[in-house]
Amino acid sequence: MSDQAQQITKRLALIDQYLLFRGQVSRADLINHFDIGIATASRTLKEYRAKFPDNMEYSVSDRSYVSASQFKSAYEHNVSQALALIAYGLEIREIEGARFGQAGPAPFSAPLSSDVVSYVTRAMVGGKPVDIEYASGSSGGTKRTIIPHSLFQGGGAWYIRAFDALRLEYRTFRLSRVRSAENSKESLTRFRGKPDTEWENQITLTLAPHPRRENQEALREDLGLNDKPVKNVTTNAVTAGFVLIDLRVDCSPEGALNPYEYHLRLMNLHELRNVESMKIAPGFNDA
C-alpha cells in the first residue's frame, strides 16, 4: 500500500472511530488530527460517506456528521486508545523504529467490548441516558439507567462517572463490568440540573517521602522538593483514592505500610476522612 493510500485509510478509520465512540465527527476533527486543510477534510468526509453510505448523515443543527441509525463500524478499533482520546484528548499510536524499552505485560483483565463501550460513550457525549446491565461487586448483576458525564482511568482500568437512576445518585462504574448497553427510552431530564458535587469538589493530597524510608534526599528529589517539606497534588473527590493507589501512597493512620512498597505517605489524612473514594486508598480506615 502506498503512503498516500495509508494516509487515506487512517483518515477514514478515524472518521469511523469518531462515529462509533462519539456519535459525531466534523471537518475540524480531521484537521486537528492530520494537520490538513479544509478542502482535504471535506473531501475525506465525502469519501467515507460514498464508501459507507449507511453509516453517517449530516446534521444541520449540530453542523457535523452524525452516526446513522443503521451505523455499523467499518474498521477495528482499539477501545483503550479511543477512550484516551475522549477522556484526555490523547492520541496514542505506535511508531515504527528502534525501541529501547521492555514491552509491558499482557492485559490481565478481559478486553473491553467496543459495541458496549460505544453505547456508553455516545450517551455521554450526547448528554443522553443509556440502559446497561452491570455486574456490581456488591449486589451482583443489575439493570440500570444511567446518564454518564465523565471518563477516567485509574489502577489500569477505565471508569465512567454517571447519574444512576436506580440509586438516584451519582456513582462510579467500571466499564469492564458493563455487560450490555443500549439506548434508553427514558428521558431523565429532571435529573440533569442536579450537580455531581463529588466530581466538582477539588481536593488537595499532601504527600511527603515516607518517614521510615532511608535516603530521604533521593525521595525528595523524586517529588521535586527543594525548600518545601511536602508536595500538594490537586484532584477531585471521585478520583482521589485511585490517584493514591497509582502513586503508591501509604494512607494508613500510623504510616504502617511497608515503606519500600509505598515510598510516599499521605500527610493530610484528617482532612479526607469523609471523601468517599478514600475507602480504596492503601491502608485507609475511617476509624
Side-chain angles (χ1 to χ4, degrees):
M1 183 183 295
S2 67
D3 290 343
Q4 183 178 5
Q6 288 181 346
Q7 287 301 318
I8 293 174
T9 299
K10 287 180 181 179
R11 294 169 190 170
L12 296 178
L14 181 71
I15 292 172
D16 195 76
Q17 177 179 308
Y18 264 81
L19 292 172
L20 176 61
F21 291 99
R22 296 183 64 95
Q24 59 189 46
V25 65
S26 67
R27 290 184 305 184
D29 295 321
L30 298 180
I31 293 171
N32 290 336
H33 278 272
F34 299 110
D35 192 24
I36 57 179
I38 294 176
T40 303
S42 298
R43 186 168 58 252
T44 305
L45 287 165
K46 289 180 181 179
E47 184 171 350
Y48 181 90
R49 194 174 190 181
K51 193 170 185 178
F52 310 107
D54 296 330
N55 270 7
M56 76 177 185
E57 53 195 28
Y58 188 76
S59 171
V60 176
S61 59
D62 295 324
R63 300 183 67 180
S64 66
Y65 288 94
V66 298
S67 302
S69 58
Q70 63 270 39
F71 173 85
K72 185 176 181 180
S73 183
Y75 297 86
E76 291 187 6
H77 301 286
N78 183 302
V79 181
S80 292
Q81 291 179 4
L83 291 174
L85 180 60
I86 296 174
Y88 308 121
L90 297 176
E91 184 176 19
I92 303 172
R93 57 196 178 104
E94 293 187 3
I95 304 297
E96 294 296 330
R99 302 183 183 189
F100 300 92
Q102 172 64 39
F108 61 88
S109 57
L112 295 173
S113 164
S114 60
D115 290 336
V116 172
V117 170
S118 62
Y119 272 104
V120 178
T121 54
R122 287 198 302 269
M124 179 182 66
V125 173
K128 298 177 181 179
V130 60
D131 294 334
I132 65 172
E133 181 183 1
Y134 188 72
S136 171
S138 57
S139 55
T142 59
K143 292 185 177 181
R144 307 174 186 228
T145 300
I146 63 172
I147 301 181
H149 68 71
S150 297
L151 274 170
F152 69 93
Q153 189 176 28
W158 283 99
Y159 296 84
I160 194 89
R161 184 68 176 176
F163 183 83
D164 181 3
L166 178 65
R167 307 296 184 189
L168 297 180
E169 62 184 10
Y170 285 95
R171 292 237 171 160
T172 299
F173 298 90
R174 184 166 173 151
L175 272 177
S176 60
R177 294 182 181 176
V178 180
R179 293 172 173 169
S180 64
E182 60 183 6
N183 296 330
S184 178
K185 297 180 180 178
E186 190 168 354
S187 72
L188 295 183
T189 54
R190 63 188 184 279
F191 300 120
R192 286 187 178 173
K194 182 178 179 181
D196 187 350
T197 54
E198 280 189 271
W199 186 263
E200 296 175 359
N201 181 22
Q202 296 293 299
I203 62 174
T204 298
L205 308 175
T206 300
L207 310 179
H210 202 293
R212 293 195 290 112
R213 268 293 297 269
E214 299 174 353
N215 301 320
Q216 289 284 306
E217 192 60 32
L219 293 176
R220 290 173 59 80
E221 290 182 11
D222 288 343
L223 291 175
L225 295 174
N226 297 318
D227 55 351
K228 297 180 180 179
V230 297
K231 179 92 169 187
N232 288 326
V233 175
T234 301
T235 184
N236 67 22
V238 172
T239 60
F242 297 92
V243 170
L244 292 165
I245 289 174
D246 288 341
L247 295 179
R248 305 196 65 78
V249 180
D250 183 349
C251 303
S252 62
E254 305 299 329
L257 299 185
N258 184 344
Y260 292 92
E261 184 177 1
Y262 299 91
H263 61 278
L264 301 176
R265 186 178 177 190
L266 181 66
M267 306 305 292
N268 62 332
L269 176 63
H270 60 286
E271 299 175 348
L272 306 173
R273 290 193 177 278
N274 294 326
V275 174
E276 182 69 19
S277 70
M278 285 297 296
K279 292 181 179 179
I280 65 172
F284 174 82
N285 68 68
D286 55 5

